[in-house]
């Protein structure tokens, strides 16, 4: 096969100019319920966390049933294939690849065979010691079919089971071999596990179904509970394993090194605004950071608009605090998804508007403040600014409801190498000049954390500071960090 060099060249430029979340995970133990269909709806609510592939594994006694494929949840599943997923318990996954290429073999859940039966695992996050873990498991004659760190976790559990341990002992032993970020839902013939790494970098919540007896549900976010009528119970704690069986739910603190470092981008951007964290919706937090942004970096303008959808709550907050009217200036096409049809060069040069289209009658003759949640490479920001000016905006002031992204993530967010992050190589005035705005300002790091109304030390904000809470091996860091390269 001849390599398609032109497509490879376009692949980076067509990549979304946003941090991309790794995945959404779901788990349920509910004998007597249609667990496959409940998992489908849970994944549907978590679709924003990953759009490349989706999968569900169910257990009916000792037998596992699996269906996974590339595409959106609604494309992968239908009434027919869901009907072929019987059982009392299930785990599901919707994926955006951060390790392993975008192929169906890397789709999840991962299923491995053990002496106690099958195990199905869904993973959100990223290990930082995958190479060492795989080498250890290969030395035990373990086999792999994919290139993901998620399979390495599943194989590690299976290897410990095959040494003679039960499910719980094996899982806890395997997690001790894993370094990095992981929120997991794991199905076995005996029950379902929900697990978080000792820092709780990625979220995982527990819900209950209004059944008798009470049945339990696990999801990356509370919106995955709401859609099926489950009631939020609590978070899975950092370093905790919950084991859900016919007897109910048991809790085990498998790590004594718990130190919460929830990814702050979950608050700013990743999680759905209707999801709850620490007793309030993320919409409320995003309103607050918008108000704070208005206080820190005011601008003289006629209207405030947000970049749909993630910039809108902060834009409303900015409008409330500044007194400048909020307006809808950009309309989002919500049915784009991920397309493999590449626009022509002519279309690209004329600013193809597949995702966002400006409202000329709202913008014409107006001085505009536009709010977005982040700037990564700056390519999308520049196109949006040009579109606003073409629609008649007389001034464009951009405000960002997070600090400048200066460092790559190693814990489950797909960010570019550091030399591709515009704020790592350019000052704020230089970025403003490149994206062609009249003014540009970012939310302060202190303001972003203070607005959480929580302990500011309980969040990971390494993408803004380079202060990584989980040690990253030097070779992995050097692959992404220009500063380390320059020092060698």
């Amino acid at each position: 096969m001849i390599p398609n060099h032109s497509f490879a060249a376009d692949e980076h430029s067509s990549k979304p100019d946003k941090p991309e979340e790794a995945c959404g995970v779901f788990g349920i133990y509910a004998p007597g319920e249609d667990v496959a269909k409940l998992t489908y709806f849970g994944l549907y609510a978590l679709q924003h966390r990953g759009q490349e592939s989706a999968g569900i594994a169910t257990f009916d006694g000792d037998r596992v049933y699996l269906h996974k494929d590339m595409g959106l949840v609604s494309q992968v599943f239908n009434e027919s294939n869901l009907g072929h997923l019987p059982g009392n318990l299930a785990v599901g996954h919707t994926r955006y690849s951060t390790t392993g290429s975008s192929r169906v073999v890397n789709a999840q859940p991962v299923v491995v065979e053990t002496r106690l039966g099958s195990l199905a695992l869904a993973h959100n996050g990223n290990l930082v010691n995958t190479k060492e873990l795989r080498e250890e498991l290969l030395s035990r004659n373990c086999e792999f079919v994919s290139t993901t760190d998620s399979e390495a976790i599943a194989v590690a559990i299976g290897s410990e089971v095959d040494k003679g341990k039960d499910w719980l002992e094996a899982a806890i032993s395997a997690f001790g071999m894993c370094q990095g970020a992981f929120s997991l839902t794991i199905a076995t013939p005996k029950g379902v596990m929900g697990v978080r790494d000792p820092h709780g970098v990625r979220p995982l919540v527990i819900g209950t179904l209004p059944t008798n007896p009470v049945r339990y549900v696990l999801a990356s976010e509370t919106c995955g509970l709401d859609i099926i009528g489950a009631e939020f119970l609590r978070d899975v704690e950092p370093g905790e394993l919950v084991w859900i069986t016919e007897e109910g739910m048991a809790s085990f603190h498998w790590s004594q090194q718990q130190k919460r470092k929830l990814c702050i981008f979950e608050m700013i951007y990743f999680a759905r605004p209707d999801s709850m964290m620490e007793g309030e919706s993320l919409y409320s937090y995003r309103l607050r950071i918008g108000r704070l942004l208005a206080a820190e970096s005011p601008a003289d303008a006629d209207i405030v608009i947000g970049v749909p959808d993630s910039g809108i709550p902060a834009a409303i907050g900015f409008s409330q605090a500044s007194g400048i009217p909020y307006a809808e200036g950009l309309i989002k096409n919500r049915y784009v998804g991920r397309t493999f049809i590449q626009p022509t060069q002519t279309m690209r040069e004329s600013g193809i508007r597949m995702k966002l289209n400006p409202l000329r009658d709202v913008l014409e003759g107006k001085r505009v403040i536009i709010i977005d949640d982040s700037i990564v490479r700056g390519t999308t920001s520049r196109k949006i600014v040009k579109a606003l000016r073409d629609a008649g905006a007389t001034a464009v002031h951009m405000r960002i409801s997070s600090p400048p992204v200066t460092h790559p993530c190693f814990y489950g967010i797909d960010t570019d190498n550091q030399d591709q992050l515009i704020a790592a190589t350019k000052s704020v005035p230089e970025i403003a000049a490149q994206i062609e705005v009249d003014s540009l300002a970012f939310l302060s790091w202190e303001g972003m954390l203070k607005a959480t109304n929580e302990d500011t030390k309980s969040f990971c904000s390494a993408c803004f500071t380079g202060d990584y809470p989980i040690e990253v091996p030097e070779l992995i860091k050097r692959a992404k960090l220009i500063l380390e390269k320059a020092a060698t």
Side-chain angles (χ1 to χ4, degrees):
M1 180 178 172
I2 300 170
N4 187 338
H5 294 294
S6 62
F7 177 77
D10 286 337
E11 198 168 29
H12 187 78
S13 63
S14 63
K15 189 177 175 183
D17 188 16
K18 288 280 183 189
E20 292 290 319
E21 177 55 86
C23 318
V25 301
F26 190 89
I28 184 168
Y29 184 95
E33 303 291 331
D34 189 338
V35 293
K37 197 164 277 189
L38 289 169
T39 303
Y40 165 83
F41 284 113
L43 294 179
Y44 190 86
L46 298 170
Q47 182 74 85
H48 59 287
R49 299 185 72 89
Q51 297 91 44
E52 281 191 355
S53 64
I56 296 173
T58 64
F59 277 79
D60 191 11
D62 289 336
R63 189 164 179 189
V64 63
Y65 296 83
L66 174 69
H67 182 77
K68 58 184 179 179
D69 208 343
M70 305 302 291
L72 301 174
V73 174
S74 59
Q75 295 170 320
V76 171
F77 294 103
N78 54 46
E79 289 280 358
S80 175
N81 56 40
L82 285 170
H84 289 92
L85 296 172
N88 294 328
L89 58 95
V91 293
H93 191 267
T94 183
R95 179 173 193 263
Y96 179 89
S97 65
T98 55
T99 68
S101 59
S102 182
R103 297 182 299 146
V104 72
V105 72
N106 288 327
Q108 295 185 38
V110 175
V111 174
V112 298
E113 301 302 321
T114 80
R115 68 177 182 86
L116 295 179
S118 302
L119 170 151
L121 176 145
H123 172 211
N124 177 21
N126 243 44
L127 298 187
V128 295
N129 70 326
T130 307
K131 183 173 179 289
E132 294 80 1
L133 181 57
R134 282 178 68 98
E135 286 172 355
E136 165 63 25
L137 295 169
L138 288 169
S139 75
R140 299 183 187 183
N141 297 318
C142 296
E143 295 181 355
F144 294 86
V145 297
S146 79
T147 58
T148 66
D149 54 349
S150 310
E151 186 188 21
I153 301 172
V155 169
I157 298 170
S159 176
E160 294 297 306
V161 167
D162 291 343
K163 282 182 171 183
K165 296 173 181 170
D166 66 21
W167 289 116
L168 267 177
E169 293 170 327
I172 290 170
S173 180
F175 302 148
M177 301 163 64
C178 299
Q179 296 167 26
F182 50 95
S183 284
L184 309 168
T185 54
I186 302 168
T188 75
K190 296 296 182 187
V192 174
M193 295 180 202
V195 185
R196 284 176 87 190
D197 69 78
H199 290 84
V201 177
R202 300 277 147 236
L204 189 64
V205 298
I206 309 166
T208 56
L209 286 172
T211 53
N212 188 13
V214 169
R215 300 303 189 185
Y216 293 93
V217 184
L218 300 161
S220 290
E221 298 176 35
T222 61
C223 64
L225 307 177
D226 296 339
I227 194 171
I228 61 167
E231 186 174 334
F232 171 68
L233 180 64
R234 66 175 178 86
D235 290 344
V236 176
E237 295 172 11
E240 183 186 17
L241 181 159
V242 294
W243 180 222
I244 304 166
T245 63
E246 186 55 39
E247 282 72 49
M249 184 177 73
S251 167
F252 303 87
H253 287 277
W254 63 269
S255 168
Q256 302 309 309
Q257 310 297 317
Q258 303 105 316
K259 189 177 181 183
R260 193 185 98 146
K261 287 288 183 180
L262 178 70
C263 170
I264 191 67
F265 251 120
E266 294 284 354
M267 306 281 290
I268 296 165
Y269 167 60
F270 292 137
R272 250 175 48 172
D274 55 328
S275 285
M276 303 290 288
M277 285 190 185
E278 299 300 324
E280 68 170 5
S281 71
L282 291 175
Y283 182 86
S284 299
Y285 170 72
R286 292 167 192 175
L287 278 179
R288 277 202 300 279
I289 56 178
R291 293 185 193 120
L292 195 57
L293 191 55
E296 288 185 354
S297 303
D300 193 14
D302 302 306
I303 57 171
V304 178
I305 68 171
V307 177
D309 289 311
S310 53
I312 288 176
I316 294 170
F318 193 105
S319 168
Q320 290 172 346
S322 65
I324 301 169
Y326 170 78
E328 244 186 303
L330 291 165
I331 299 300
K332 183 178 182 179
N333 178 3
R334 302 177 195 285
Y335 308 99
V336 174
R338 292 187 181 274
T339 176
F340 297 102
I341 307 300
Q342 296 298 309
T344 65
Q345 188 61 30
T346 305
M347 292 166 79
R348 211 177 271 120
E349 286 170 0
S350 65
I352 180 170
R353 293 174 185 169
M354 288 180 67
K355 292 190 176 180
L356 295 172
N357 203 37
L359 284 164
R360 176 174 287 275
D361 56 343
V362 172
L363 298 163
E364 196 162 23
K366 298 290 197 307
R367 298 167 300 162
V368 177
I369 299 171
I370 181 164
I371 312 293
D372 204 354
D373 54 76
S374 60
I375 296 179
V376 178
R377 293 195 305 277
T379 49
T380 299
S381 300
R382 184 172 180 168
K383 288 176 184 174
I384 290 171
V385 172
K386 183 179 186 303
L388 296 178
R389 293 197 192 281
D390 289 348
T394 58
V396 180
H397 303 278
M398 184 167 275
R399 297 293 180 265
I400 306 299
S401 61
S402 65
V405 176
T406 54
H407 288 73
C409 178
F410 298 95
Y411 307 139
I413 302 171
D414 183 29
T415 50
D416 288 296
N417 291 350
Q418 195 175 23
D419 57 2
Q420 297 294 323
L421 303 175
I422 191 169
T425 57
K426 287 181 168 57
S427 66
V428 173
E430 288 171 335
I431 299 170
Q434 182 159 323
I435 65 176
E436 299 179 343
V437 287
D438 292 275
S439 74
L440 171 67
F442 292 81
L443 183 67
S444 67
W445 177 77
E446 295 82 2
M448 169 190 72
L449 291 171
K450 186 181 177 184
T452 64
N453 292 336
E454 297 178 52
D455 178 0
T456 58
K457 295 177 182 174
S458 67
F459 294 94
C460 175
S461 58
C463 51
F464 307 119
T465 65
D467 181 12
Y468 295 102
I470 304 168
E471 189 174 347
V472 180
E474 205 59 34
L475 277 175
I476 295 177
K477 282 175 84 171
R478 288 185 185 186
K480 277 192 168 186
L481 288 175
I482 53 176
L483 303 179
E484 264 73 8
K485 285 180 185 175
T488 57

